[in-house]
Amino acid sequence: MMLDASRADGWNASSLSKRNSPACQQDHSHGGKKARYLGPDLPEDIWCHIHSLLPMKDAARTACVSHSFLCSWRSHPNLTLTNETMCPKTNLKTVGPNVITDHNNKIGRVLMNHSGAGVKTFRLEYFVPCDAESYHCLDNWLQIAVTPMIEELDLVVWPKEATFSSQKRKEAAMFNFPCTLLSDMCRDSIWNLRLVNCALHPSFQLGFRSLKRLDLHNVHITGDELGSLLSSSFALEWLKLVYCDDIVRLEIPCLLQRFRFLEVFACSGLEVIENKAPNISRFWFTGKEVQIALGESLKVKNLKLDHSCSISYAINTLPSSVPNLEKLTINSGREVVNAPMAPIKFLHLKVLSINFFGSYFHRDYDYLSFVSFFDASPSLETFRLYVGRQSTYDSFEGDSSSLRRITERCHGKLKSVKITGFCPQKSMLELTCHILENAVSLRHLTLDASPVNYRCFGNISRGKCFPMETTYIREAHKSILAVRTYIEGRVPSKVKFNVLEPCSRCHAL
């Protein structure tokens, strides 16, 4: 049980026993007097239900002082045994093997005092004391917790000196998840499965009849093995793959009629993504450029794309492959070619976000070329542009008459625009002026001179803004001056215009 953890937080059995716990204050005769019963007389199954609604830590504490709750603890449905719940004041990734061993022993005691019956949610972080240690105890714990009633299983295995570099991931000895346990115990009950830092090699068709969500993070599994798993998971709606480097070809079968969401992040071995599921509506991809075939993707409405030169890829490829797209997010850090003219229109696109991260895109990138996105998106209502910290760029200080203009354009639906990391580069000034002149329905324009992801807005309770070097603070103030000089006078009275300067509390010069 979790008595040790309870005492560590200032709780103990004697202090808890002073509370009026109805389950432990029953009628008893002692010294000729009858103890008063302070709680309602409820059937045992109702007390068990009440106990099951408590957070796991509170449930374990009450079990320390109540025989009735101790009985219901042995069938408590939610077990969360993580660094946060078991050792909230210690980062177990940075401690020595003795502390890890004590932590694992504590988990072992918790599970040994739990029958395993009735477990519906099991979340476990297992820290390996040393690379040479076997996973025998982890196997035993899973045998206890994974029962025919389990609905959610979340397993994270942290090897010693855990790292996310590709080479280290391949060299680390992986825990081979026992597929027979899933097949024999929970193929009909489990709907949410998340595995991190382990291997999954099913030698037979698992056949999850209720599985809706599958999240694999740094899991060794091949494309064929994953395909076999997916082909018999007819209820699957959501799939996330992160650092699954053994997958070369990812194929989503057409039998997955309920499948809606696919996210693929940094799977270095991946070459092809082929979706045949007819009802996918969201697709997020991060990684090197691969061959993507979304099939009959008329229902894809939310797409996120993150790889080198993704802007050109998006404008040349997506209008024809995902014609009903409504929200598009593009992340790029190595863009060198200006946005080309779109051969086909995004007829239904309403929200466009473009994020430039890092300092690898060309210093003279032509932001005015984004007008090709506006021309190709007659339904566009919201535009967001984030520009990270640029290493160098040429500040414009000339006459406003030398700014380029693209005439005879009308972006009639565009209502809200925000540019974060605004700088006085000539093409960015030109893009902003173009929006003011041609977005006839514009209602909100925000220019943020700070390339930061988080602001406190002067509120001390929210902490501090994301840190900025003095050089970038000075550049931000130059950007504000450029806004006053070239932009402010062009803003129509109907537009709510916000200019965000560096935070005076966190980024004072």
Side-chain angles (χ1 to χ4, degrees):
M1 297 192 317
M2 298 185 64
L3 182 59
D4 294 339
S6 304
R7 287 176 173 169
D9 290 338
W11 293 74
N12 54 54
S14 61
S15 64
L16 279 170
S17 63
K18 295 176 183 178
R19 296 175 177 262
N20 297 329
S21 176
C24 61
Q25 297 188 29
Q26 302 177 0
D27 291 337
H28 295 287
S29 295
H30 181 70
K33 296 183 180 180
K34 192 174 184 178
R36 191 170 63 139
Y37 183 84
L38 299 181
D41 185 12
L42 298 177
E44 183 179 352
D45 59 340
I46 294 182
W47 281 121
C48 289
H49 176 68
I50 294 173
H51 191 243
S52 71
L53 299 177
L54 293 174
M56 189 197 71
K57 200 167 187 178
D58 294 335
R61 288 170 173 173
T62 58
C64 293
V65 295
S66 165
H67 178 74
S68 298
F69 278 157
L70 176 60
C71 294
S72 61
W73 162 252
R74 291 178 178 141
S75 59
H76 195 270
N78 304 316
L79 296 180
T80 301
L81 308 174
T82 63
N83 191 159
E84 182 180 358
T85 59
M86 302 294 288
C87 301
K89 298 180 181 180
T90 303
N91 183 359
L92 294 175
K93 298 177 186 177
T94 62
V95 299
N98 291 336
V99 178
I100 296 296
T101 299
D102 291 342
H103 167 74
N104 290 342
N105 290 338
K106 185 184 296 184
I107 292 178
R109 290 194 298 271
V110 170
L111 291 174
M112 289 303 295
N113 283 281
H114 194 289
S115 65
V119 175
K120 294 184 177 180
T121 300
F122 184 52
R123 293 185 172 90
L124 172 66
E125 279 187 305
Y126 177 70
F127 292 82
V128 182
C130 60
D131 292 334
E133 180 169 313
S134 70
Y135 294 101
H136 178 68
C137 59
L138 179 54
D139 275 316
N140 290 339
W141 296 347
L142 292 173
Q143 293 288 340
I144 294 173
V146 179
T147 68
M149 293 185 63
I150 195 164
E151 297 177 356
E152 299 182 70
L153 174 60
D154 186 335
L155 173 63
V156 180
V157 180
W158 293 113
K160 185 65 178 176
E161 299 178 355
T163 178
F164 286 103
S165 69
S166 179
Q167 186 62 31
K168 288 293 184 181
R169 288 200 306 272
K170 292 179 179 179
E171 293 175 355
M174 286 283 184
F175 170 67
N176 197 358
F177 192 90
C179 297
T180 53
L181 186 64
L182 295 176
S183 177
D184 296 343
M185 288 294 181
C186 58
R187 60 187 300 173
D188 295 327
S189 62
I190 191 166
W191 67 267
N192 186 5
L193 176 61
R194 178 174 181 259
L195 301 177
V196 179
N197 299 333
C198 61
L200 184 65
H201 297 301
S203 57
F204 51 89
Q205 198 170 54
L206 288 174
F208 294 117
R209 295 186 178 92
S210 303
L211 188 64
K212 294 181 180 180
R213 294 171 64 97
L214 178 61
D215 185 351
L216 303 180
H217 189 129
N218 189 26
V219 171
H220 282 218
I221 185 171
T222 67
D224 290 339
E225 291 167 337
L226 179 61
S228 176
L229 189 156
L230 296 179
S231 64
S232 56
S233 302
F234 304 119
L236 193 67
E237 300 174 0
W238 191 97
L239 174 62
K240 182 177 181 180
L241 303 173
V242 179
Y243 298 132
C244 296
D245 299 337
D246 294 343
I247 300 175
V248 177
R249 181 184 182 89
L250 172 62
E251 183 174 328
I252 309 298
C254 62
L255 296 175
L256 303 188
Q257 298 289 315
R258 302 180 185 178
F259 192 70
R260 298 289 187 273
F261 173 77
L262 172 62
E263 180 176 1
V264 179
F265 184 93
C267 297
S268 62
L270 192 63
E271 297 178 0
V272 178
I273 298 176
E274 183 177 5
N275 170 68
K276 297 180 181 179
N279 296 311
I280 184 173
S281 60
R282 289 190 295 162
F283 173 57
W284 296 356
F285 176 77
T286 299
K288 66 178 185 180
E289 188 172 342
V290 301
Q291 180 182 338
I292 299 175
L294 295 178
E296 298 180 4
S297 50
L298 298 179
K299 296 186 179 181
V300 176
K301 296 185 177 181
N302 184 332
L303 193 146
K304 182 186 294 184
L305 195 62
D306 185 347
H307 62 69
S308 59
C309 300
S310 54
I311 290 179
S312 300
Y313 176 87
I315 205 166
N316 284 324
T317 306
L318 295 183
S320 59
S321 61
V322 282
N324 294 324
L325 195 63
E326 294 182 0
K327 183 177 181 179
L328 174 60
T329 301
I330 301 174
N331 299 330
S332 181
R334 296 182 179 272
E335 208 73 36
V336 293
V337 179
N338 298 329
M341 296 300 295
I344 306 175
K345 291 185 180 295
F346 293 95
L347 294 178
H348 304 281
L349 187 65
K350 295 181 180 180
V351 180
L352 173 63
S353 300
I354 299 177
N355 304 311
F356 277 157
F357 295 99
S359 57
Y360 298 104
F361 53 91
H362 198 276
R363 58 177 288 175
D364 295 324
Y365 188 85
D366 189 1
Y367 295 101
L368 187 60
S369 66
F370 289 155
V371 172
S372 61
F373 267 112
F374 301 159
D375 290 340
S377 309
S379 301
L380 189 67
E381 298 178 357
T382 302
F383 175 62
R384 299 285 182 263
L385 174 62
Y386 174 89
V387 180
R389 301 172 180 178
Q390 301 185 64
S391 55
T392 56
Y393 65 88
D394 295 324
S395 297
F396 178 74
E397 297 178 352
D399 190 88
S400 60
S401 61
S402 63
L403 296 174
R404 292 173 297 166
R405 298 179 63 190
I406 302 178
T407 58
E408 300 181 359
R409 297 290 198 279
C410 182
H411 314 305
K413 298 287 185 69
L414 188 58
K415 298 177 181 179
S416 176
V417 174
K418 181 177 181 179
I419 301 177
T420 301
F422 182 89
C423 65
Q425 186 175 338
K426 183 180 179 183
S427 66
M428 189 172 288
L429 293 170
E430 292 167 339
L431 173 65
T432 309
C433 292
H434 175 87
I435 291 171
L436 290 170
E437 293 174 2
N438 295 277
V440 295
S441 299
L442 189 67
R443 293 294 179 268
H444 300 275
L445 174 62
T446 300
L447 302 180
D448 187 345
S450 302
V452 295
N453 293 315
Y454 178 80
R455 279 178 169 269
C456 73
F457 291 100
N459 188 341
I460 298 177
S461 63
R462 295 185 61 180
K464 289 190 174 183
C465 299
F466 196 83
M468 287 176 59
E469 297 177 10
T470 302
T471 301
Y472 293 112
I473 299 175
R474 295 186 186 278
E475 291 296 324
H477 284 286
K478 288 176 58 178
S479 301
I480 296 300
L481 179 59
V483 170
R484 306 299 184 200
T485 304
Y486 300 105
I487 304 297
E488 195 171 52
R490 299 171 182 257
V491 180
S493 57
K494 64 180 181 180
V495 176
K496 184 177 180 180
F497 184 46
N498 293 319
V499 180
L500 301 181
E501 303 183 14
C503 175
S504 59
R505 183 171 75 98
C506 306
H507 298 147
L509 285 175

